[in-house]
Amino acid sequence: MRYAPFSTTGLLAVAAIAGAAFQFGLGKWIAESQVVRRAVETAEDLGLIVALVILVLVVVLVASPAACVRYLLLYGDLRVTDDNRVLRIAHGLLTTRHTTLDRARLRGVALREPLALRLVGAARLDAVMTGRTAQQGGSSLVLPSAPDEEVRRVAAEVLTGRLPLEVPLRSHGPRARRRRYTRTLWPVAVVIAAGLVALTVTDRHVPVAVIATVVVVLAAGACALAQDRYRGLGHAVVDGHLVARSGSIDRQRICLDADGVIGWTVRQTFFQRRAGLATVVAATPAGAGRYEVIDIPVDEAWALVQEVTPGMGEAWIDR
């Protein structure tokens, strides 16, 4: 339950409560209350940045207990059992939910590691099932936010092997790294340029030291994010599974059964062609329906297809 505050469930709970308040006409009463007026006056005295920091802290302090309570009610008394034919997942204190997953329809697992959960050593686990998607009320959920070691242990039990979870992933090379930096830094450059233009148009005088500090902080944050995105990028083919990992803020590691892949697409955008990269898309009737190996060197794309599904990439490799 201690990992609940590091997900968005608490924020969603607070948003739902706020939405209900406005729905029943309480929003105007709250906005005109003496407490809100004093808060606005205090914010004006403290300044915008300090007020925003305090607001974020207040939201976190409110959302964290809400997330813990929701997690406890939704996932309390969690049990996952396996009889080698079906997986049974049961959880919930007030409303108990029982889910049965047929192993014959199992096509792999998705190890989800959002940035906030990674920072505290946690993850969550979903099953990739034929005929079921992660959007169907979480019907493919195996483990909610839990210690990373425990999630990997359960994932190994589901896959009947640890190799897809522990195999070192192939790097996508310097061109993929350069693309991570380019795609992360240009939005920051646009924001900085727009801010400078706004200061010029409004004729507001901001100390050069403050502007330089903001630019350095934004650039450093963007570079750290780009490097983490590249560090999380990779793929492997092992033990009859395609393993693909990508992302930083919302990182996931997909272990997909090669027998579950029914088709392939190798896609190149204009910028990928210039960089010599491609995205390989594995189509499957399970889970999300398509899983991507992002920004792989183009000369390795069809070789990967051939490695996972022998004979399907042969003609394109010859071409």
Side-chain angles (χ1 to χ4, degrees):
M1 192 172 64
R2 65 182 180 272
Y3 300 117
F6 298 94
S7 64
T8 59
T9 55
L11 295 177
L12 293 176
V14 172
I17 294 172
F22 280 91
Q23 184 70 22
F24 289 100
L26 299 177
K28 184 178 179 181
W29 178 79
I30 295 174
E32 296 177 352
S33 66
Q34 191 68 22
V35 175
V36 174
R37 290 179 180 177
R38 289 180 180 176
V40 172
E41 293 174 358
T42 304
E44 292 176 349
D45 295 336
L46 294 175
L48 179 61
I49 296 178
V50 176
L52 286 176
V53 171
I54 294 175
L55 178 62
V56 170
L57 291 176
V58 170
V59 171
V60 170
L61 290 175
V62 173
S64 295
C68 291
V69 171
R70 182 182 181 276
Y71 187 97
L72 179 62
L73 295 178
L74 192 59
Y75 300 118
D77 198 24
L78 173 70
R79 298 186 182 190
V80 181
T81 58
D82 178 18
D83 63 4
N84 296 322
R85 189 177 62 86
V86 295
L87 290 171
R88 293 184 176 87
I89 301 101
H91 55 82
L93 293 184
L94 299 181
T95 301
T96 304
R97 183 188 183 99
H98 295 273
T99 304
T100 301
L101 304 178
D102 185 1
R103 271 195 167 277
R105 296 177 178 270
L106 180 68
R107 292 294 178 266
V109 297
L111 190 68
R112 304 192 182 279
E113 305 170 288
L115 178 60
L117 288 181
R118 287 205 315 277
L119 292 176
V120 293
R124 58 170 289 170
L125 181 67
D126 290 339
V128 178
M129 301 291 299
T130 299
R132 294 199 179 195
T133 67
Q135 288 75 30
Q136 293 175 337
S139 58
S140 61
L141 176 73
V142 178
L143 278 185
S145 302
D148 183 74
E149 183 179 348
E150 180 66 11
V151 171
R152 290 178 181 273
R153 185 190 69 80
V154 175
E157 293 284 346
V158 174
L159 292 175
T160 65
R162 296 190 66 92
L163 200 53
L165 300 166
E166 298 178 347
V167 61
L169 302 183
R170 302 178 197 170
S171 171
H172 289 189
R175 289 174 292 182
R177 177 193 283 117
R178 186 163 56 248
R179 182 166 161 80
R180 302 274 82 68
Y181 276 88
T182 301
R183 296 186 65 182
T184 305
L185 285 173
W186 78 259
V188 174
V190 171
V191 170
I192 293 173
L196 293 176
V197 170
L199 291 176
T200 303
V201 172
T202 58
D203 197 26
R204 297 192 62 177
H205 299 287
V206 179
V208 176
V210 173
I211 296 176
T213 301
V214 172
V215 171
V216 170
V217 169
L218 290 177
C223 289
L225 178 62
Q227 183 60 30
D228 189 57
R229 289 183 65 203
Y230 176 72
R231 190 164 50 244
L233 189 66
H235 73 280
V237 180
V238 63
D239 199 22
H241 288 81
L242 168 65
V243 182
R245 187 179 67 186
S246 62
S248 175
I249 296 176
D250 188 22
R251 180 176 296 172
Q252 66 175 356
R253 183 185 184 114
I254 299 296
C255 302
L256 184 64
D257 189 348
D259 292 337
V261 179
I262 60 174
W264 294 91
T265 301
V266 175
R267 187 183 68 234
Q268 282 185 287
T269 64
F270 172 78
F271 295 104
Q272 281 180 316
R273 288 199 302 272
R274 290 177 60 87
L277 301 170
T279 295
V280 178
V281 184
T284 174
R290 57 198 303 262
Y291 295 98
E292 299 181 345
V293 181
I294 301 173
D295 286 345
I296 183 175
V298 66
D299 55 352
E300 299 179 17
W302 285 108
L304 172 62
V305 174
Q306 179 68 12
E307 187 177 2
V308 179
T309 312
M312 196 169 284
E314 208 168 68
W316 294 98
I317 293 175
D318 294 340
R319 221 168 178 184

